[in-house]
């Protein structure tokens, strides 16, 4: 059983936000109107923000340096979000992906509150697109679940009042799984990658199976530069960063 | 036919039947507010939660604050009445009914807040269909449900004899529905011995059962926050802290409600100064315990100075939540001294000059001016001095100190007024406490929400939607009381009658006093000239 994992090399990351845009196109996250964005209600499954957050930039003018952090869902091994969900709308799949079921979510936002990384987003309104954008929505659908009967997740346009989050492009995972089944073989390390990894300008993102000791992510995770976000909260993320320098 | 003494008939039974125009007007006003709330909730459901002030990172707002507050108020009742029943405190008798009613209504209003808060209220029942036992929210749904069922039962059991009294003592011209209502709900109570024994047993069992359930309810509400790893919430003290706060705010709410009932139904013979005094002692103790927990909570945060927790604490002490935090603290300080001062200052001190209005005002003003001079920063440059003088934090600080000294002056001036008006003083303190406890919930929930680890710090301002629903919730709370007080006696008639028998019996007992002896003298140690003179 693969354990899907991502490695992000911050040395290569140029903070172009390509991952954010690719994610938006792949997963049909709506753009928030300016007044809503000003309230902090925009949805960015893959966010790029100044690092460290809520602190002044290091250095004094003219020797100022700005750092950026790119952040998908961390798909923790010990996710605080699934423990607090009262209706099992979010759960960890067998391959380690933390799923989010839009058909089950009651919108209590306990998971958004419990996630220390802030990767979860709430649909304050039903999503809206302008007509051209609406014609070009990603048609992929993920409608069968692993544990539950009624299940929708991934790029399906969300109903109002539910929580959504990065799924490591679970729709691509589904396709890869079907293809592997047609060819009569098990899912391989290189069978699928999420949209953000595919698009990354600096080739800073790597994706693969952490269970396979030969995979790129396994080898990179053993580097001395490797670290995880907020290791002190005990969530054991499956997104591993490589420190700059 | 259950008979009842004339004074009870006049004070407790018959007033339920006459409905004055003022009642209709107040009821209509409250009902209008409730319907406004229904309209606003419909509006919010149709136009989505986006119409509230909540956003990222403040995913929870006033609804969560109200939820914790109302469930806290609910501890007024059942817990207090159960503890007092179990410990056989005689003075509980006139207050149990009102206390238990507060519990039932506060639980209804509190649970409604969760419904307001859901993004998908249509899926509310999923909690019961697909519950995940690991989630504190599910524990909460279970414990609040258990507490609601338990307290409804606990409210209803002691009501049965009273309903039978109502059934048997209704005047002939009473409306027919009332007769049917009391006949049905008194469940064929005849007041024979076996019925009394069963009732006493059932009440005793319920009183003991309800105490652990009540403690679990607010502990679990605190665990909603404490089981997350968010800065400022992940604390073991939250369980007992919330339970203490709940009982504390509950007694405050009980004082306010019972004083209103006392005023409207003229229950001066039942809710006596003695009742107020005893319950005040409990309230004073709870204030002190609340201070202890609050200090312990903030002390550990301040001493640790962890990177994620420090901004939360700083925002309360001198940041954007400074007003709500310090208003809370000073409300509680004021409440404590309003309750304590009239009880510790003897009557004979009235002749002291400090209690003369002119002297106390002068002393307070002098102290305020002195304090202002002490806290004002010393400036070496005119420019910085002007900047400091015009900055809002300076003004706020001065204002806060002036308010504190005005409060002290008012307290000294009012000491003898408070001594003479025990009930008014208690109600003033209770209003401070209930308002301070609402702010306490706010100070726990909101600053942590707006100071997360990896999201940019945010601001949360509730919208008119949230304030409307809050107002409507309070109106619903009051309205349920209005209906309740017209259907059921506000005081437990049979318990008060029973208490009268007990106290009359007690008066006939003569307590033997221990023999008087003079203390033995000790050696040659002398301290002053009068030592050695035997005391009489």
């Amino acid at each position: 059983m693969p354990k899907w994992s991502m490695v992000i090399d911050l040395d290569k990351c140029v903070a172009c936000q390509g991952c954010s845009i690719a994610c938006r196109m792949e997963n049909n996250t709506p753009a928030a109107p300016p007044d809503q964005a000003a309230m902090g209600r925009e949805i960015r499954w893959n966010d790029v923000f100044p690092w460290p957050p809520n602190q002044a930039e290091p250095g004094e003018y003219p020797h100022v340096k700005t750092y950026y952090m790119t952040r998908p869902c961390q798909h923790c091994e010990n996710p605080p979000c699934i423990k607090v969900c009262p209706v099992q709308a979010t759960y960890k799949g067998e391959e380690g992906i933390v799923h989010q079921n839009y058909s089950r979510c009651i919108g209590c936002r306990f998971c958004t509150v419990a996630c220390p990384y802030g990767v979860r987003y709430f649909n304050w309104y039903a999503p809206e697109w302008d007509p051209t954008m609406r014609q070009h929505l990603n048609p992929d659908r993920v409608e069968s679940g692993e544990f539950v009967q009624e299940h929708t997740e991934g790029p399906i346009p969300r109903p109002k009042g539910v929580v959504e989050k990065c799924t490591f492009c679970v729709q691509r995972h589904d396709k890869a799984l079907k293809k592997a089944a047609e060819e009569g073989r098990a899912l391989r390390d290189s069978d699928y990658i999420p949209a953000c990894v595919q698009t990354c300008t600096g080739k800073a993102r790597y994706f693969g199976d952490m269970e396979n000791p030969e995979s790129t992510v396994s080898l990179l995770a053993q580097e001395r530069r490797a670290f995880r976000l907020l290791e002190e909260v005990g969530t054991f993320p499956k997104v591993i960063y490589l420190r700059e320098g | 036919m259950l008979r009842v003494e004339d004074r009870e008939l006049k004070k407790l039974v018959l007033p339920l039947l006459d409905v004055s125009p003022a009642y209709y007007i107040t009821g209509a006003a409250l009902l209008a507010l409730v319907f406004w709330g229904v309209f606003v909730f419909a509006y919010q459901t149709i136009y989505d939660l986006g119409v509230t002030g909540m956003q990222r990172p403040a995913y929870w707002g006033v609804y969560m604050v109200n939820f914790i507050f109302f469930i806290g108020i609910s501890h007024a009742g059942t817990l207090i009445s159960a503890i007092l029943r179990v410990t056989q405190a005689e003075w509980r008798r006139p207050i149990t009914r009102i206390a238990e009613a507060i519990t039932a209504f506060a639980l209804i209003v509190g649970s409604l807040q969760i419904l307001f808060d859901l993004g998908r209220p249509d899926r509310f029942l999923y909690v019961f269909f697909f519950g995940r036992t690991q989630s504190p929210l599910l524990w909460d749904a279970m414990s609040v449900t258990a507490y609601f069922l338990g307290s409804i039962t606990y409210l209803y059991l002691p009501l049965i004899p009273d309903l039978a009294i109502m059934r048997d003592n209704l005047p002939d011209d009473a409306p027919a529905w009332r007769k049917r209502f009391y006949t049905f709900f008194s469940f064929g109570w005849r007041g024979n011995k076996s019925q009394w024994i069963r009732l006493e047993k059932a009440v005793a069992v319920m009183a003991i059962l309800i105490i652990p359930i009540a403690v679990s309810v607010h502990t679990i509400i605190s665990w909603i926050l404490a089981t997350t790893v968010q800065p400022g919430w992940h604390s073991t003290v939250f369980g007992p802290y919330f339970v203490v706060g709940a009982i504390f705010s509950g007694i405050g709410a009980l004082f306010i409600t019972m004083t209103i009932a006392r005023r409207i139904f003229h229950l001066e013979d039942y809710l006596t100064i003695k009742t107020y005094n005893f319950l005040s002692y409990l309230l004073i103790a709870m204030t002190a315990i609340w201070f202890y927990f609050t200090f312990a909570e903030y002390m550990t945060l301040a001493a640790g100075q962890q990177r994620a927790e420090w901004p939360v604490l700083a925002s309360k002490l001198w940041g954007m939540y400074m007003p709500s935090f310090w208003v809370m603290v000073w409300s509680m300080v004021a409440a404590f001294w309003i309750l304590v001062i009239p009880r510790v200052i003897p009557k004979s001190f009235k002749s002291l000059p400090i209690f003369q209005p002119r002297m106390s005002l002068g002393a307070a003003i002098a102290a305020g001016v002195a304090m202002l001079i002490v806290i004002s920063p010393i400036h070496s440059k005119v420019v910085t001095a002007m900047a400091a003088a015009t900055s809002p934090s300076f003004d706020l600080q001065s204002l806060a100190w002036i308010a504190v000294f005005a409060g002290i002056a008012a307290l000294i001036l009012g000491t003898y007024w408070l001594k003479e008006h025990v009930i008014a003083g208690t109600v003033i303190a209770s209003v401070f406490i209930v308002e301070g406890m609402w702010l306490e919930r706010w100070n726990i929930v909101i600053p942590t929400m707006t100071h997360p680890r990896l999201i940019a710090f945010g601001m949360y301002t509730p919208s008119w939607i949230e304030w409307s629903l809050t107002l409507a919730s309070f109106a619903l709370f009051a309205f349920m009381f209005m209906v309740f007080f017209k259907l059921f006696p506000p005081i437990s008639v049979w318990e008060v009658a029973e208490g009268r028998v007990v106290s009359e019996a007690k008066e006939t007992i003569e307590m033997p006093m221990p023999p008087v002896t003079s203390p033995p003298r000790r050696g040659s140690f002398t301290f002053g000239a009068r030592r050695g003179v035997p005391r009489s």
Side-chain angles (χ1 to χ4, degrees), chain B residues 2-42:
Chain B
L2 292 169
R3 272 185 298 138
V4 60
E5 280 186 44
D6 268 354
R7 46 181 160 174
E8 257 101 34
L9 197 67
K10 243 182 247 158
K11 285 280 181 196
L12 300 178
V13 175
L14 296 180
L16 301 196
L17 300 173
D18 56 312
V19 184
S20 65
Y23 179 87
Y24 281 120
I25 292 168
T26 321
L30 289 175
L31 210 56
L33 281 176
V34 172
F35 277 118
W36 170 245
V38 172
F39 166 74
V40 168
F41 180 55

Side-chain angles (χ1 to χ4, degrees), chain B residues 82-158:
Chain B
I83 290 173
L84 297 180
R85 249 192 247 269
V86 171
T87 52
Q88 309 265 336
E90 280 298 318
W91 54 272
R92 70 164 199 274
R93 292 179 185 279
I95 57 173
T96 48
R97 174 73 38 83
I98 296 173
E100 288 152 17
I102 292 180
T103 301
F105 302 151
L107 280 176
I108 293 171
V109 177
S111 310
L112 274 180
Q113 307 297 321
I114 287 290
L115 197 65
F116 299 160
D117 198 41
L118 287 187
R120 302 292 303 223
D122 51 321
R123 297 180 181 171
F124 182 60
L125 289 176
Y126 281 17
V127 177
F128 297 99
F129 297 157
F130 307 111
R132 182 191 167 90
T133 46
Q134 215 177 351
S135 168
L137 217 64
L138 189 81
W139 309 341
D140 199 51
M142 290 192 292
S143 71
V144 168
T145 313
Y147 190 42
F148 182 67
L149 295 176
S151 54
I152 284 283
T153 317
Y154 187 61
L155 171 68
Y156 179 62
L157 283 176

Side-chain angles (χ1 to χ4, degrees), chain B residues 44-202:
Chain B
Q44 180 193 288
T45 314
I46 293 164
Y47 291 96
D48 309 340
L49 274 183
V51 297
T52 65
M54 290 185 277
Q55 22 78 354
R56 183 175 187 266
Y59 281 109
W60 282 343
V62 163
Y63 299 145
M64 204 59 185
V65 174
N66 285 344
F67 169 65
I68 303 176
F69 173 78
F70 273 110
I71 304 284
I73 291 287
S74 81
H75 283 58
T78 300
L79 192 59
I80 293 164
S81 104
I83 290 173
L84 297 180
R85 249 192 247 269
V86 171
T87 52
Q88 309 265 336
E90 280 298 318
W91 54 272
R92 70 164 199 274
R93 292 179 185 279
I95 57 173
T96 48
R97 174 73 38 83
I98 296 173
E100 288 152 17
I102 292 180
T103 301
F105 302 151
L107 280 176
I108 293 171
V109 177
S111 310
L112 274 180
Q113 307 297 321
I114 287 290
L115 197 65
F116 299 160
D117 198 41
L118 287 187
R120 302 292 303 223
D122 51 321
R123 297 180 181 171
F124 182 60
L125 289 176
Y126 281 17
V127 177
F128 297 99
F129 297 157
F130 307 111
R132 182 191 167 90
T133 46
Q134 215 177 351
S135 168
L137 217 64
L138 189 81
W139 309 341
D140 199 51
M142 290 192 292
S143 71
V144 168
T145 313
Y147 190 42
F148 182 67
L149 295 176
S151 54
I152 284 283
T153 317
Y154 187 61
L155 171 68
Y156 179 62
L157 283 176
L159 253 179
I160 296 174
D162 276 8
L163 288 169
I165 289 171
M166 292 296 299
R167 176 195 63 196
D168 293 349
N169 291 284
L170 275 184
D172 295 332
D173 57 340
W177 66 266
R178 268 191 191 265
K179 281 176 191 158
R180 279 202 297 276
F181 179 83
Y182 294 125
T183 314
F184 180 78
F185 281 103
S186 56
F187 263 157
W189 178 268
R190 292 196 309 277
N192 56 29
K193 198 177 172 190
S194 70
Q195 282 184 334
W196 277 116
I197 291 172
R198 259 181 244 150
L199 181 78
E200 294 279 358
K201 259 190 201 161

Side-chain angles (χ1 to χ4, degrees), chain A residues 39-41 54-55 82-84 86 102 104-110 113-114 118 120-121 124 126 160, chain B residues 45 48-50 52 54-56 59-60 117 119-120 123 126 130-132 134-135 224 230 233 307 455 457:
Chain A
M39 284 186 82
R41 284 178 177 166
N54 297 313
Q55 283 177 37
I82 69 165
K83 282 186 278 188
V84 298
Y102 310 137
R104 177 64 67 79
C105 178
I106 60 170
C108 69
R109 307 187 297 292
F110 199 173
V113 169
R120 294 179 154 269
Y121 294 85
W124 300 101
K160 66 172 190 183
Chain B
T45 314
D48 309 340
L49 274 183
T52 65
M54 290 185 277
Q55 22 78 354
R56 183 175 187 266
Y59 281 109
W60 282 343
D117 198 41
R120 302 292 303 223
R123 297 180 181 171
Y126 281 17
F130 307 111
R132 182 191 167 90
Q134 215 177 351
S135 168
I224 289 181
Q230 300 304 352
W233 285 356
R307 201 175 64 83
I455 311 174
F457 293 163

